[in-house]
Amino acid sequence: MSLRHFNDSLITASLAWLSENQSDAAHDLDHVLRVVATADKLGRAEAAQLDVLLPAAYLHDCVSVDKRDPRRSQASTLSADAAIQWLSQQGYPESLLPPIHHAIASHSWSAGLETTTLEARVLQDADRLDALGAIGTARCLMLGGQWQSELYHGQDPFAEQREYDDNRYSLDHFFVKLQHLPGQLKTVAGRQEGERRWRWMESFIDQLKSELPE
Ligand SMILES: [Fe+2]
Ligand SMILES: [Fe+2]
């Protein structure tokens, strides 16, 4: 369980390697560090193999593909390929590379791959948790700004008489996607944290509602 191979000098080297490729605002180095911290916490609670989980967490978004790029669904596989190639160059134990590859390749929505190991489930939960809570709310609104979405539909903010459209309205994304996230998390520790974060988001939505014109 304990960390024997992914040591401090590999962590430093991986951060230096990551900082060479610039990514979008919601998938920057701070996102990576939050996912690492959450994965570490969940991984210890779930007794995951940290020498698989932590390198996978550090490197999970090492190849970034814009959400509107047609190659988007391959991003996690491209990241997995690049990550194990880099780890292999660093002399990382060969036997740990396939489970690291699997965890990275299966972490994202768009890949549509099953998570067949505990480490893959923990990494996926940690990544998804970053879409919830105060950070998740901030990221959602930042990305909305980047894509020139509106904050909400002016006449019908809560979609009482229209279909949700989360490409146009950031608030719709809370209902289309984010509210379903806690129930989709795969580890016990992940689900508990997801529910805690969603409760905060519900209070954010209530507050926002109270500030809108009647
Ligand atoms: Fe990702
Ligand atoms: Fe990520």
Side-chain angles (χ1 to χ4, degrees), residues 57-120:
Y58 273 98
L59 302 174
H60 79 281
D61 281 334
C62 69
V63 175
S64 79
V65 180
D66 189 88
K67 205 167 192 141
R68 292 175 176 179
D69 189 303
R71 290 170 309 146
R72 173 73 175 185
S73 63
Q74 300 157 37
S76 56
T77 305
L78 295 172
S79 289
D81 292 347
I84 62 159
Q85 193 185 359
W86 184 83
L87 285 165
S88 170
Q89 284 162 5
Q90 312 303 309
Y92 208 66
E94 291 291 324
S95 63
L96 298 176
L97 300 181
I100 292 172
H101 189 279
H102 171 68
I104 297 178
S106 63
H107 87 271
S108 83
W109 302 101
S110 21
L113 297 170
E114 265 309 306
T115 46
T116 62
T117 61
L118 172 63
E119 289 74 21

Side-chain angles (χ1 to χ4, degrees), residues 25-197:
H27 295 94
D28 57 7
L29 208 51
D30 291 317
H31 162 71
V32 170
L33 295 175
R34 290 190 303 271
V35 171
V36 167
T38 307
D40 185 68
K41 207 165 146 188
L42 301 183
R44 287 172 197 275
E46 302 279 335
Q49 196 181 348
L50 299 181
D51 273 322
V52 169
L53 176 61
L54 291 186
Y58 273 98
L59 302 174
H60 79 281
D61 281 334
C62 69
V63 175
S64 79
V65 180
D66 189 88
K67 205 167 192 141
R68 292 175 176 179
D69 189 303
R71 290 170 309 146
R72 173 73 175 185
S73 63
Q74 300 157 37
S76 56
T77 305
L78 295 172
S79 289
D81 292 347
I84 62 159
Q85 193 185 359
W86 184 83
L87 285 165
S88 170
Q89 284 162 5
Q90 312 303 309
Y92 208 66
E94 291 291 324
S95 63
L96 298 176
L97 300 181
I100 292 172
H101 189 279
H102 171 68
I104 297 178
S106 63
H107 87 271
S108 83
W109 302 101
S110 21
L113 297 170
E114 265 309 306
T115 46
T116 62
T117 61
L118 172 63
E119 289 74 21
R121 288 189 284 277
V122 171
L123 177 60
Q124 191 184 71
D125 281 5
D127 192 49
R128 292 181 178 186
L129 280 167
D130 210 47
L132 292 171
I135 284 288
T137 299
R139 288 175 78 209
C140 173
L141 303 182
M142 282 173 78
L143 277 182
Q146 194 172 313
W147 297 334
Q148 282 156 17
S149 309
E150 290 171 55
L151 186 50
Y152 56 86
H153 184 296
Q155 281 75 51
D156 188 5
F158 294 94
E160 281 155 0
Q161 284 155 38
R162 64 179 177 89
E163 296 294 318
Y164 286 121
D165 182 357
D166 64 341
N167 284 319
R168 284 187 68 184
Y169 309 109
S170 294
L171 184 59
D172 286 14
H173 195 61
F174 286 70
F175 302 106
V176 172
K177 183 161 158 191
L178 302 178
Q179 74 168 339
H180 305 296
L181 261 182
Q184 292 165 356
L185 298 176
K186 293 174 177 170
T187 65
V188 173
R191 266 196 307 277
Q192 279 171 357
E193 180 61 14
E195 280 154 17
R196 189 179 78 87
R197 293 187 188 199

